[in-house]
Amino acid sequence: MDENDSILSDEIMLDIKNLTIQYKTDNGVVHAVNGLNISLNKGETLGLVGETGAGKTTTALGVLRLIPNPPGEIIEGEIFLDGEDVVKKSESEMRSIRGNKASMIFQDPMTSLNPVMPIKEQIAEVIMLHQKVTAAEASQKAVEMLETVGIKEDRANEYPHQFSGGMRQRVVIAIALACRPELIIADEPTTALDVTIQAQVLELMKELKVKFKTSMIMITHDLGIVAEICDTVAVMYAGTVVEYADKIELFENPKHPYTIGLFNSLPDIEADADALKPIKGLMPDPMDLPSGCHFHPRCDNAMPECSQVKPESIDFGKGHIVKCLLYK
């Protein structure tokens, strides 16, 4: 982190307080996000980690107020984006924020892009929506943005199907960065890519984040990506953050049994082990969450009270927060 970054990180870019999001369906209520608290400093990258169904994407959609309603709804909580509560914003105010102040990169670039529109036009459209520029100026800015992500001008009038998966993801990154947003939310942006292309895209995102002084939320289930790109990490389970810490502190000193389970289920070249130690069981049904600590049915350290008492946040210092009755 250079000197400029440390100045930036004195201010909070995103502060989520007690966020609860539910989906009301014919079969019952899906408790997707439950009393979530997260903060992100300007210029920093937060890793949002957890298994499929932990509520990571729903949290991201909540920040941009893109929860499909019905059936989804923000039940309670506050989402302060650069000091302003987006929960209280009107839809027209949100339209000026999305793409301009905060942007999202989705995991499948093919479904994020318009298949019948040249990529240059798709970027220019975003620029014209948020900035007072002519069509020609927007078009020129779009070409410059494509070159920033490594796509030459002679390909600017091609269509999404003419690009590989990695190149399409570069186009999506160009669209997300077109208006120089202060916050980017990347939802598993490299899931559909092979390992070498994945590394290139991550390196590009790191470079552009520094270049544009952007804050970022990286949603992933891959702890390798967290190690590569994040400053702080929030581990999510059943719609809530169970552990939150600086990346190095979390990797060297994980506290929550779920976090420890995630690390234990990773292969280690140096360890003399015959088999990995996966976390037993499955993520709970969000329509029927266990009482007490939601992780207790899968936890090797579960005590009788874990099924009854909801754990409070415990601060271990240095911003390391854990929700677990073991440390009560």
Side-chain angles (χ1 to χ4, degrees):
M1 186 180 281
D2 65 23
E3 189 180 332
N4 292 343
D5 283 344
S6 62
I7 293 164
L8 281 169
S9 62
D10 291 340
E11 302 168 61
I12 291 176
M13 182 67 227
L14 180 70
D15 195 12
I16 300 176
K17 296 182 176 180
N18 199 31
L19 181 65
T20 300
I21 301 173
Q22 297 177 354
Y23 294 95
K24 295 185 169 103
T25 70
D26 293 341
N27 298 324
V29 176
V30 176
H31 300 274
V33 176
N34 306 297
L36 183 103
N37 293 284
I38 289 175
S39 69
L40 169 66
N41 286 335
K42 288 189 175 178
E44 286 194 351
T45 298
L46 168 73
L48 211 50
V49 183
E51 292 167 278
T52 302
K56 306 185 298 292
T57 300
T58 299
T59 301
L61 293 173
V63 171
L64 292 177
R65 290 266 308 279
L66 287 172
I67 302 287
N69 184 359
E73 190 184 348
I74 295 175
I75 302 297
E76 65 173 315
E78 300 165 309
I79 303 168
F80 290 100
L81 183 61
D82 204 12
E84 296 185 67
D85 188 359
V86 298
V87 175
K88 293 178 177 159
K89 298 279 182 194
S90 67
E91 182 52 36
S92 64
E93 286 174 314
M94 284 311 301
R95 276 198 292 272
S96 70
I97 288 171
R98 293 184 203 118
N100 198 26
K101 196 174 198 74
S103 273
M104 191 154 175
I105 300 168
F106 295 93
Q107 57 181 291
D108 183 2
M110 204 57 202
T111 55
S112 308
L113 297 168
N114 185 334
V116 295
M117 197 174 180
I119 58 164
K120 180 173 77 174
E121 284 182 29
Q122 298 195 44
I123 301 171
E125 186 178 55
V126 174
I127 294 166
M128 287 187 73
L129 193 64
H130 294 294
Q131 297 178 359
K132 291 186 172 73
V133 292
T134 64
E137 287 169 334
S139 189
Q140 182 54 39
K141 282 191 173 190
V143 169
E144 288 167 12
M145 205 63 234
L146 283 169
E147 288 182 338
T148 303
V149 298
I151 296 173
K152 291 192 168 58
E153 185 176 356
D154 57 7
R155 299 203 67 185
N157 289 310
E158 293 183 13
Y159 293 85
H161 72 269
Q162 293 173 282
F163 291 85
S164 66
M167 293 298 265
R168 281 198 292 265
Q169 196 58 288
R170 285 168 182 265
V171 174
V172 171
I173 292 168
I175 291 172
L177 287 167
C179 294
R180 308 284 170 91
E182 294 173 53
L183 173 68
I184 284 189
I185 302 170
D187 187 3
E188 310 225 12
T190 57
T191 300
L193 310 175
D194 65 53
V195 179
T196 48
I197 305 300
Q198 194 178 77
Q200 288 174 16
V201 170
L202 285 175
E203 195 55 42
L204 172 70
M205 288 176 76
K206 272 167 70 178
E207 286 169 18
L208 295 177
K209 176 189 161 276
V210 172
K211 182 177 177 179
F212 296 132
K213 294 186 170 63
T214 311
S215 307
M216 190 188 297
I217 296 176
M218 174 64 74
I219 297 173
T220 183
H221 57 261
D222 186 334
L223 289 164
I225 289 175
V226 171
E228 182 71 25
I229 210 167
C230 299
D231 300 304
T232 52
V233 190
V235 180
M236 280 190 79
Y237 187 83
T240 194
V241 172
V242 294
E243 185 158 10
Y244 180 89
D246 170 82
K247 172 181 69 182
I248 294 165
E249 170 71 14
L250 187 89
F251 274 68
E252 290 182 352
N253 193 20
K255 297 277 189 191
H256 197 282
Y258 178 60
T259 313
I260 294 165
L262 290 178
F263 281 113
N264 286 343
S265 60
L266 289 174
D268 183 352
I269 322 172
E270 293 168 9
D272 185 20
D274 296 326
L276 294 175
K277 194 183 170 199
I279 302 169
K280 66 185 181 187
L282 298 168
M283 181 71 77
D285 180 352
M287 283 191 194
D288 185 24
L289 291 173
S291 58
C293 170
H294 297 327
F295 185 61
H296 84 262
R298 303 174 69 187
C299 182
D300 292 334
N301 304 312
M303 307 172 288
E305 62 190 297
C306 294
S307 61
Q308 307 298 324
V309 182
K310 265 201 162 77
E312 298 289 324
S313 295
I314 296 164
D315 193 340
F316 283 87
K318 298 189 212 167
H320 191 166
I321 292 163
V322 182
K323 280 187 176 179
C324 182
L325 295 172
L326 283 174
Y327 306 104
K328 191 175 60 172

